[in-house]
Amino acid sequence: GTNGFFLPFKQDYTVEGFSTVVYEGNGATQYIGGTGFQPDFVWIKDRVGTDNHHLFDAIRGTNQRLISNLTAAENTESNALNSFDTDGFTLGSNTGVNANTENHVAWNWDMGGTTASNTNGTITSSVRANTTYGQSIVSYTGNGTGGSTIGHGLASAPTLIIVKKRSQADDWKIYSETLGNTKALAFTTATPVTTSAYWNNTSPTSSVFSVGHGGHTNASGQTNIAYCFHDVANYSKFGSYSGNGSSTGPVVTLGFTPAFVMYKNADSTTS
């Protein structure tokens, strides 16, 4: 079989954590409500066009875009996501997120609502953390020293960490507990890379994650953003499965009905 990783989230409007909102663009300023909480991390995709994925978070600030399907550095995208609001967000006229009459989807996470300085690691980080739902945003500046540690703000060790260098074009790097601390996946490449340069061959702890000397996760003087997650019963689950190539595929038991599932092939050289 072929191994991969997955990360489902449950959508439940009786709790804060995650929600999905679909909307039609109007090509002008519009408020998108109904998230159920003030989102700190918003991932938007045009459902009918070929526009890129647009990722925004409250630490990096409004209109500061990252693109998960590209290696591009963060850029200021005018009139894209203009504000994070109490029960949603406000868009401008940018066609990537608000093309007139086109359908879009926004995936939204509540990352705690407040940014705090975290000095648990050898590199001081800025963190928004929702410890109830095991998810946080971490901003830090690399120092180029292998074995450096970064506070993630969660109560348990992350089982998934998605890192992107903000200040330069560079590939995304994804830590998965299933693959271990010697490997990293990327959104834009196929097979995982094995090297100590990313996680310093060290698993995260309940307070910090480790980075190596490599430029993808710890280039000296370069700014980075990390999205950290761990399992929470009846809300989120991270793991792996082996494919069987059959139309009757494997059953992955989560303990809840997921509203969002992301998976990545971890063996194939082309997927």
Side-chain angles (χ1 to χ4, degrees):
T2 303
N3 296 313
F5 81 82
F6 58 87
L7 54 158
F9 291 87
K10 178 181 181 181
Q11 178 171 318
D12 184 345
Y13 286 109
T14 65
V15 299
E16 295 186 353
F18 171 81
S19 67
T20 302
V21 175
V22 293
Y23 63 92
E24 182 177 291
N26 68 0
T29 300
Q30 72 164 324
Y31 167 71
I32 307 299
T35 57
F37 49 81
Q38 181 167 316
D40 303 294
F41 178 28
V42 179
W43 183 329
I44 297 175
K45 181 67 178 76
D46 182 347
R47 299 170 63 195
V48 296
T50 58
D51 289 296
N52 295 315
H53 292 253
H54 290 61
L55 280 65
F56 305 94
D57 67 66
I59 288 186
R60 294 184 296 112
T62 57
N63 292 313
Q64 300 304 305
R65 178 186 68 165
L66 288 170
I67 303 171
S68 60
N69 55 291
L70 297 177
T71 62
E74 176 186 284
N75 74 301
T76 301
E77 190 76 355
S78 298
N79 293 311
L81 194 149
N82 290 336
S83 64
F84 299 92
D85 304 320
T86 302
D87 186 32
F89 50 89
T90 299
L91 302 173
S93 58
N94 185 276
T95 57
V97 298
N98 196 20
N100 190 33
T101 72
E102 291 192 2
N103 293 320
H104 302 74
V105 61
W107 300 294
N108 311 279
W109 286 265
D110 177 354
M111 296 297 207
T114 303
T115 302
S117 178
N118 186 302
T119 58
N120 287 337
T122 57
I123 297 175
T124 298
S125 58
S126 294
V127 176
R128 284 197 178 209
N130 188 329
T131 55
T132 301
Y133 296 105
Q135 50 202 34
S136 67
I137 308 170
V138 180
S139 177
Y140 67 95
T141 299
N143 63 10
T145 302
S148 296
T149 56
I150 299 151
H152 52 66
L154 300 176
S156 299
T159 49
L160 186 85
I161 305 173
I162 301 171
V163 177
K164 179 68 177 75
K165 187 191 296 183
R166 301 167 55 188
S167 47
Q168 290 180 340
D170 207 344
D171 213 346
W172 296 74
K173 290 297 168 224
I174 303 169
Y175 165 83
S176 168
E177 182 183 59
T178 301
L179 293 177
N181 56 41
T182 64
K183 299 179 185 294
L185 286 163
F187 288 132
T188 51
T189 56
T191 51
V193 174
T194 301
T195 176
S196 62
Y198 301 151
W199 320 117
N200 202 51
N201 292 1
T202 306
S203 298
T205 72
S206 59
S207 59
V208 300
F209 66 91
S210 296
V211 288
H213 64 275
H216 296 287
T217 60
N218 193 23
S220 181
Q222 301 299 318
T223 56
N224 305 270
I225 200 77
Y227 304 110
C228 302
F229 305 91
H230 66 72
D231 291 9
V232 172
N234 203 38
Y235 171 70
S236 62
K237 186 72 175 176
F238 309 90
S240 66
Y241 63 91
S242 293
N244 61 15
S246 169
S247 59
T248 306
V251 175
V252 180
T253 301
L254 305 175
F256 58 90
T257 301
F260 176 87
V261 179
M262 179 190 294
Y263 62 89
K264 176 75 172 73
N265 189 307
D267 287 339
S268 172
T269 59
T270 59
S271 297

